[in-house]
Amino acid sequence: MNKHHVLKGTVAALVAAATLAGVSGMAYAADGKQAADLAVHGGAQRIAGMYGNQYAKNVILFIGDGMGDSEITIARDYLHGANGSFDGLDKIGQPSAYGDTTVGTGQYTTFSLGNGIQDKGNPTVTPVTDSAASGSAWATGTKTYNNALDVDVYGTPQMNLTELAKAAGKATGNVTTSEIQDATPAAQMSHSTLRSCYGPQGKTDGSSNNAADQCEVAQLKENGGIGSISEQMLDTRADVTIGGGAKYLHQTVQGGEYKGMTVWDQAKAMDYETVEKDVDALNALEYTGKPVLALMADGNLQTQFAPSVATKKDPAKDENPIQCSTNPDWLGNKNANGNSASLADMTSKAIDLLEANPNGQSNGFFLQVEGASIDKQDHNANACGQIGETDDLDKAISAALDKVDLNETLIIVTADHAHTSQIVEEQPNYALSTVLESRVDGAKITVAYGTSPDQMYANDDAPKFDEVESSMSHTGTQLRIAASGPGAQRVNGLTDQTDNFYTIAKALGLASTADDYKNLSAGMDYAVNVKDGKVSLDVTGLNGDASFSYAVTDAATGQVVAQSVDGDPVSGERVRTMQTTSVELTDKVTEGKTYKVTVTGRQTGVALDKEIQIPAQTTSEVIPGKPTGGNANAAGNASAASPLGKTGVAIIGVVVLAAALVSTGLAVRTIKSRRSGSAEQR
């Protein structure tokens, strides 16, 4: 911008300000929208339409769970001194810190639209979010209620960044120090009305089944739903998934084509490269063409520092401030083979795998990385635990910066919500506190926890990190967001979490609107496939939908012989983005008969009708079918033939390539009343 334009802009601004000042009663602030308006996709954006024209090949989103300004300051003061800085965390967004020419730093709002499933269908502005509603906001661009994952406040699944990046042909990754089914990572791979729906048997290790308490029954696959978080993780099929939560994959699948298998066995049947609690195997991973699923602990990963105990006011604490000690069980410690699995190690491995992926090489990648236990140990009033996890995240950012080019990679660092810890002047009378001694400048740092009187760890010599329930609470303050790389300037000033979705989507050139999603699903097609004596309906191209419904009707009698369950927004078949989604029809169709098959995307309404004949003779010839009804546009082309396997039954599927017309609106959904669920604000 030249000086002439700057001068003109300055004059215009001064004239505008003077004009406004002369108007009696002129309001200088804009009041916010009502909850119902905020509940629509993109409704909470603060800078809607301001997308810029900078594109990034790759985006890495770093999330410090529970990492408010206080948590950053506590960790910095302890680890690097009051005048020190983090090598990664503080340098992102800082002009020229890494030679990047585009940076941005701002704050964003984090409110949700309900305090739990009891508010489903009734959007209510809720100042303090949980991790699930928060993660959903930046993953989908849609606000929802606490405890919900990637559904709107009415329970309808919303497309997330991982699905949209896959639809754009990009490689995708998801790395965390928590259970992979936990809220923040789950928001990049699942749609669930309750965040506790970890697996087909609920939130168990597979030895019991509490799905009825942890999941809405309509979502479970045995009831015709889209499945639990773990099952949807496999359907989403990110190229790299690394975290904890291994024990939940020992649950038994209760419905669908993999019924009776464990979820681990399902992953192997779906051709995943699997690693379970093996640091050496993680370090040895190389790109093989298979998606990687590496779960490094049964539950959450251990923190870098052993826990500290916050206690009531005691002068002795001031006389003997503590320093944090390394947790011997932290996976960042080198093992006998010299290997480790810190968050930095896992991030580095994920980037290597994504860059080796042909999609990553040609189209780039989207990667989310979470330092999860800043939050979990803040809940536990564990200052050392949260400090170590902040340090782990900082080192992960530095590891990424060593590997990527900021001319083509946008790195964003932020959090999902703020938390309760505060640096205070002296031990408070009313709250628990820990007194630390900075390991750099020797300063005494008093950290107070003021939202619960409960003392964590004090009577437990070996705390069970995965089982200790939290007591300190989140806060609703705005959060720091910083970015470096193409598109970084969009995070400047005050934005909202939902703006982060658009920042990432626009930088990567992803679909981000309802019309975009319809276009992604417009190429939907399907065929009947016969293999090993089984008949399946194979659906492809519904890449703008999270789920679909289907109906198979006898063309002669009009009788419906097979159909999806469609009574709830989380009913139906889960779409496998950029893959084939199969629905078994064995024993539901008869050779020699003709059927009308209808498939409809449940989010976009894109629909296709075709007639399919099941021939009575064995043949390798594909016989053209014909579109029916008003929703299909006939292409008239027969697919290339392929030989059938020996099935013992003379059955063949007929394939017709057809273009789908876009429906004019979403189906009207009846929202049933739901039982109330207690908030799991973690």
Side-chain angles (χ1 to χ4, degrees), residues 440-477:
V440 173
D441 56 25
K444 186 170 65 177
I445 305 167
T446 302
V447 182
Y449 296 88
T451 57
S452 171
D454 294 338
Q455 187 169 297
M456 298 287 104
Y457 297 124
N459 299 311
D460 191 348
D461 293 332
K464 300 175 179 64
F465 286 83
D466 296 337
E467 299 174 14
V468 173
E469 287 299 321
S470 56
S471 61
M472 298 297 169
S473 64
H474 302 173
T475 64
T477 188

Side-chain angles (χ1 to χ4, degrees), residues 21-67:
V23 178
S24 177
M26 175 62 69
Y28 288 91
D31 289 339
K33 298 177 182 177
Q34 297 302 302
D37 297 320
L38 293 165
V40 302
H41 177 61
Q45 293 180 82
R46 290 184 178 274
I47 52 172
M50 300 179 188
Y51 303 126
N53 58 2
Q54 288 188 303
Y55 294 95
K57 182 179 180 181
N58 316 305
V59 171
I60 306 176
L61 173 63
F62 285 96
I63 299 293
D65 197 307
M67 188 180 70

Side-chain angles (χ1 to χ4, degrees), residues 249-269:
L249 271 68
H250 291 287
Q251 296 183 30
T252 302
V253 178
Q254 304 294 302
E257 61 183 306
Y258 299 101
K259 182 178 180 180
M261 290 185 177
T262 67
V263 184
W264 271 119
D265 287 339
Q266 178 180 340
K268 293 168 185 174

Side-chain angles (χ1 to χ4, degrees), residues 76 92 123 175 243 301 335 426 510 551 573 658 679:
R76 185 193 299 113
I92 294 296
V175 176
L301 275 61
N335 66 12
E426 59 185 20
L510 310 183
E573 300 293 323

Side-chain angles (χ1 to χ4, degrees), residues 256-257 526-531 533-539 548-553 560-564 573 581-591 593-599 610 612-614 649 651-654:
E257 61 183 306
Y526 52 84
V528 169
N529 182 48
V530 178
K531 184 177 181 181
K534 294 183 179 181
V535 185
S536 63
L537 174 67
D538 290 353
V539 180
F548 68 88
S549 60
Y550 71 91
V552 181
T553 304
V560 176
V561 299
Q563 64 181 346
S564 55
E573 300 293 323
T581 307
S582 297
V583 178
E584 189 168 338
L585 296 180
T586 308
D587 300 328
K588 296 177 181 178
V589 294
T590 304
E591 59 185 58
K593 284 194 172 185
T594 299
Y595 297 90
K596 176 184 174 183
V597 180
T598 302
V599 175
K610 289 199 296 188
I612 293 179
Q613 184 184 26
I614 311 298
V649 182
I651 300 176
I652 185 172
V654 180

Side-chain angles (χ1 to χ4, degrees), residues 89-104:
L89 183 60
D90 289 333
K91 299 298 174 62
I92 294 296
Q94 190 174 83
S96 300
Y98 283 95
D100 48 320
T101 57
T102 307
V103 296

